[in-house]
Structure formats: structure tokens, C-alpha cells
Coordinates of all heavy atoms in Angstrom, one line a residue:
F1 N 123.5 93.1 109.7 CA 123.5 94.6 109.8 C 124.7 95.1 110.5 O 124.9 94.8 111.7 CB 122.2 95.1 110.5 CG 122.1 96.6 110.6 CD1 122.0 97.4 109.5 CD2 122.1 97.1 111.9 CE1 121.9 98.8 109.7 CE2 121.9 98.5 112.1 CZ 121.9 99.3 111.0
N2 N 125.6 95.8 109.9 CA 126.8 96.3 110.5 C 127.0 97.7 109.9 O 127.8 97.9 109.0 CB 128.0 95.4 110.1 CG 129.2 95.8 111.0 OD1 129.1 96.4 112.0 ND2 130.4 95.4 110.6
P3 N 126.4 98.7 110.6 CA 126.4 100.1 110.0 C 127.8 100.7 110.1 O 128.5 100.5 111.0 CB 125.4 100.8 110.9 CG 125.4 100.0 112.2 CD 125.7 98.6 111.8
T4 N 128.0 101.6 109.1 CA 129.3 102.3 109.1 C 129.1 103.6 110.0 O 130.1 104.2 110.4 CB 129.7 102.7 107.7 OG1 128.6 103.4 107.1 CG2 130.0 101.5 106.9
V5 N 127.9 104.0 110.2 CA 127.5 105.1 111.1 C 126.7 104.6 112.2 O 125.9 103.7 112.0 CB 126.8 106.3 110.3 CG1 127.5 107.6 110.3 CG2 126.3 105.9 109.0
S6 N 126.8 105.2 113.4 CA 126.0 104.7 114.5 C 125.2 105.8 115.1 O 124.6 105.5 116.2 CB 126.9 104.1 115.5 OG 127.8 105.0 116.0
Y7 N 125.1 106.9 114.5 CA 124.3 108.0 115.1 C 123.7 108.9 114.0 O 124.3 109.2 113.0 CB 125.3 108.9 115.9 CG 124.6 109.4 117.2 CD1 124.7 108.7 118.3 CD2 124.0 110.6 117.2 CE1 124.1 109.2 119.5 CE2 123.4 111.1 118.3 CZ 123.4 110.4 119.5 OH 122.8 110.8 120.6
F8 N 122.4 109.2 114.2 CA 121.7 110.1 113.4 C 121.0 111.2 114.2 O 120.5 110.8 115.3 CB 120.6 109.4 112.5 CG 121.2 108.3 111.7 CD1 121.4 107.0 112.1 CD2 121.5 108.6 110.3 CE1 121.9 106.1 111.3 CE2 122.0 107.7 109.5 CZ 122.3 106.4 110.0
K9 N 121.0 112.4 113.8 CA 120.3 113.4 114.6 C 119.7 114.5 113.7 O 120.1 114.6 112.6 CB 121.3 114.1 115.5 CG 122.3 115.0 114.9 CD 123.2 115.7 115.9 CE 123.6 117.1 115.5 NZ 122.7 118.1 115.3
P10 N 118.7 115.2 114.3 CA 118.1 116.3 113.5 C 119.1 117.4 113.2 O 120.0 117.7 114.1 CB 117.0 116.8 114.4 CG 116.8 115.7 115.4 CD 118.1 115.0 115.6
R11 N 119.1 117.9 112.0 CA 120.0 118.9 111.6 C 119.7 120.2 112.4 O 118.6 120.6 112.6 CB 119.8 119.2 110.1 CG 120.9 120.0 109.5 CD 120.8 119.8 108.0 NE 120.8 121.2 107.4 CZ 120.5 121.4 106.1 NH1 120.3 120.3 105.4 NH2 120.6 122.6 105.6
G12 N 120.8 120.9 112.8 CA 120.6 122.3 113.3 C 120.4 122.3 114.8 O 120.2 123.4 115.4
I13 N 120.3 121.1 115.5 CA 120.1 121.1 116.9 C 121.3 120.5 117.6 O 121.7 119.4 117.3 CB 118.8 120.2 117.3 CG1 117.6 120.8 116.6 CG2 118.6 120.2 118.8 CD1 116.4 119.9 116.7
P14 N 121.9 121.3 118.5 CA 123.1 120.8 119.2 C 122.8 119.4 120.0 O 121.7 119.3 120.5 CB 123.5 121.9 120.2 CG 122.8 123.1 119.7 CD 121.5 122.6 119.0
M15 N 123.8 118.6 120.0 CA 123.6 117.3 120.7 C 123.2 117.4 122.1 O 122.4 116.6 122.6 CB 125.0 116.5 120.6 CG 125.2 115.9 119.3 SD 124.0 114.7 118.8 CE 124.1 113.5 120.1
K16 N 123.7 118.4 122.8 CA 123.4 118.5 124.2 C 121.9 118.8 124.5 O 121.5 118.6 125.6 CB 124.3 119.6 124.9 CG 124.1 121.0 124.4 CD 125.1 121.9 125.0 CE 124.9 123.3 124.4 NZ 125.8 124.3 124.9
E17 N 121.2 119.3 123.5 CA 119.8 119.6 123.6 C 118.9 118.5 123.2 O 117.7 118.6 123.3 CB 119.5 120.8 122.8 CG 120.2 122.1 123.3 CD 119.9 123.3 122.4 OE1 118.9 123.3 121.6 OE2 120.7 124.3 122.5
L18 N 119.5 117.4 122.7 CA 118.7 116.3 122.1 C 118.5 115.1 123.1 O 119.5 114.7 123.7 CB 119.3 115.7 120.8 CG 119.3 116.6 119.6 CD1 120.1 116.0 118.5 CD2 117.8 116.7 119.2
E19 N 117.3 114.6 123.1 CA 117.1 113.3 123.7 C 117.5 112.3 122.6 O 117.5 112.6 121.4 CB 115.6 113.1 124.1 CG 115.2 113.9 125.3 CD 113.7 113.6 125.6 OE1 113.4 112.4 125.8 OE2 113.0 114.6 125.7
E20 N 117.7 111.0 123.0 CA 118.0 110.0 122.0 C 117.3 108.7 122.2 O 116.8 108.5 123.4 CB 119.5 109.7 121.9 CG 120.1 109.1 123.1 CD 121.6 108.9 123.0 OE1 122.3 109.7 122.4 OE2 122.1 107.9 123.6
V21 N 117.1 108.0 121.2 CA 116.5 106.6 121.3 C 117.6 105.7 120.8 O 118.4 106.0 119.9 CB 115.2 106.5 120.4 CG1 114.1 107.3 120.9 CG2 115.5 106.7 118.9
E22 N 117.6 104.5 121.4 CA 118.7 103.5 121.0 C 118.0 102.4 120.2 O 117.0 101.8 120.6 CB 119.3 103.0 122.3 CG 120.2 104.0 123.0 CD 120.9 103.5 124.2 OE1 120.5 102.4 124.7 OE2 121.8 104.1 124.6
I23 N 118.6 102.1 119.1 CA 118.2 101.0 118.2 C 119.3 100.0 118.3 O 120.4 100.3 118.1 CB 118.0 101.5 116.7 CG1 117.0 102.7 116.6 CG2 117.7 100.4 115.8 CD1 115.6 102.3 116.9
T24 N 118.9 98.7 118.5 CA 119.9 97.6 118.6 C 120.2 97.2 117.1 O 119.4 97.4 116.2 CB 119.3 96.4 119.4 OG1 118.2 95.9 118.7 CG2 118.9 96.8 120.8
K25 N 121.3 96.5 117.0 CA 121.7 96.0 115.7 C 120.6 94.9 115.2 O 120.3 94.8 114.1 CB 123.0 95.3 115.7 CG 124.2 96.4 115.7 CD 125.5 95.7 115.6 CE 126.6 96.8 115.5 NZ 127.9 96.2 115.3
E26 N 120.0 94.2 116.2 CA 119.0 93.3 115.9 C 117.8 94.0 115.3 O 117.2 93.5 114.3 CB 118.6 92.6 117.2 CG 117.6 91.5 117.1 CD 117.4 90.9 118.5 OE1 116.7 91.5 119.4 OE2 117.8 89.7 118.6
E27 N 117.4 95.1 115.9 CA 116.3 95.9 115.3 C 116.7 96.5 113.9 O 115.8 96.5 113.0 CB 115.9 97.1 116.3 CG 115.3 96.5 117.5 CD 115.1 97.6 118.6 OE1 116.0 98.5 118.7 OE2 114.2 97.5 119.4
G28 N 117.9 96.9 113.8 CA 118.4 97.4 112.5 C 118.3 96.3 111.4 O 117.9 96.5 110.3
E29 N 118.7 95.1 111.8 CA 118.6 93.9 110.9 C 117.2 93.7 110.5 O 116.9 93.4 109.3 CB 119.3 92.7 111.5 CG 119.2 91.5 110.7 CD 120.1 91.5 109.4 OE1 120.6 92.5 109.1 OE2 120.1 90.4 108.8
A30 N 116.3 93.7 111.4 CA 114.8 93.5 111.1 C 114.4 94.5 110.1 O 113.7 94.2 109.1 CB 114.0 93.5 112.4
L31 N 114.7 95.8 110.3 CA 114.3 96.9 109.4 C 114.9 96.7 108.0 O 114.3 96.8 107.0 CB 114.8 98.2 109.9 CG 114.0 98.7 111.2 CD1 114.7 99.9 111.8 CD2 112.6 99.1 110.8
R32 N 116.2 96.3 108.0 CA 116.9 96.0 106.7 C 116.3 94.9 105.9 O 116.0 95.1 104.7 CB 118.4 95.7 107.0 CG 119.3 95.5 105.8 CD 120.7 95.0 106.1 NE 120.7 93.6 106.5 CZ 120.8 92.6 105.6 NH1 120.8 92.9 104.3 NH2 120.8 91.3 106.0
L33 N 116.0 93.8 106.6 CA 115.4 92.7 105.9 C 114.0 93.0 105.4 O 113.6 92.7 104.2 CB 115.3 91.4 106.8 CG 116.7 90.8 107.1 CD1 116.5 89.7 108.2 CD2 117.4 90.3 105.9
K34 N 113.2 93.6 106.2 CA 111.8 93.9 105.8 C 111.6 95.0 104.9 O 110.9 94.9 103.9 CB 111.0 94.2 107.1 CG 109.5 94.4 106.9 CD 108.8 93.1 106.4 CE 107.3 93.4 106.2 NZ 106.8 92.7 105.0
N35 N 112.3 96.1 105.1 CA 112.1 97.3 104.3 C 113.1 97.6 103.2 O 112.7 98.1 102.1 CB 112.1 98.5 105.2 CG 111.0 98.5 106.3 OD1 109.9 98.2 105.9 ND2 111.4 98.7 107.5
I36 N 114.3 97.1 103.3 CA 115.3 97.3 102.3 C 115.4 96.1 101.3 O 115.3 96.3 100.1 CB 116.7 97.6 102.9 CG1 116.7 98.8 103.8 CG2 117.8 97.8 101.8 CD1 116.2 100.1 103.2
K37 N 115.4 94.9 101.9 CA 115.4 93.7 101.1 C 114.0 93.3 100.7 O 113.9 92.5 99.8 CB 116.0 92.5 101.9 CG 117.5 92.7 102.2 CD 118.3 92.6 101.0 CE 119.8 92.7 101.3 NZ 120.6 92.6 100.1
D38 N 113.0 93.9 101.3 CA 111.6 93.7 100.9 C 111.2 92.3 101.0 O 110.5 91.7 100.1 CB 111.3 94.3 99.5 CG 109.8 94.6 99.3 OD1 109.1 94.9 100.2 OD2 109.4 94.5 98.1
L39 N 111.6 91.6 102.1 CA 111.2 90.2 102.3 C 110.0 90.1 103.1 O 109.7 91.0 103.9 CB 112.4 89.5 103.0 CG 113.7 89.5 102.3 CD1 114.8 88.9 103.2 CD2 113.7 88.8 100.9
D40 N 109.3 89.0 103.0 CA 108.1 88.8 103.9 C 108.6 88.4 105.3 O 109.7 88.0 105.4 CB 107.1 87.7 103.3 CG 107.8 86.4 103.2 OD1 107.9 85.7 104.2 OD2 108.2 86.0 102.1
Q41 N 107.7 88.5 106.2 CA 108.1 88.3 107.6 C 108.6 86.9 107.9 O 109.5 86.7 108.7 CB 106.9 88.6 108.6 CG 106.8 90.1 108.9 CD 105.9 90.4 110.0 OE1 105.4 91.5 110.1 NE2 105.6 89.4 110.9
T42 N 108.0 85.9 107.3 CA 108.4 84.5 107.5 C 109.9 84.3 107.0 O 110.7 83.8 107.7 CB 107.5 83.5 106.7 OG1 106.2 83.8 107.1 CG2 107.9 82.1 107.0
T43 N 110.2 84.9 105.9 CA 111.6 84.8 105.3 C 112.5 85.6 106.2 O 113.6 85.1 106.5 CB 111.6 85.3 103.9 OG1 110.7 84.5 103.1 CG2 113.0 85.1 103.3

């Protein structure tokens, strides 16, 4: 998982007013494999 973008935010709300959550590349890879590649957890 090597994203070309590293930030997502709700539309219409200035950044200074937003709290943020941090997702690691490891977590992104888990999401990619499970939900995008549709692999079972063992794989």
C-alpha cells in the first residue's frame, strides 16, 4: 500500500476546525487486501 494521497477530509469544513485520525500504511494494507482484493483473512 503506497497511496498517492495521504489526507482525506470532510468537504466544506476548514482544516483548522477538524480533528484527525491517523491510519498507518500497515492498516491501509490490511484494508486493501481484505476489502479491495477481497481476500480471506488467512491469505
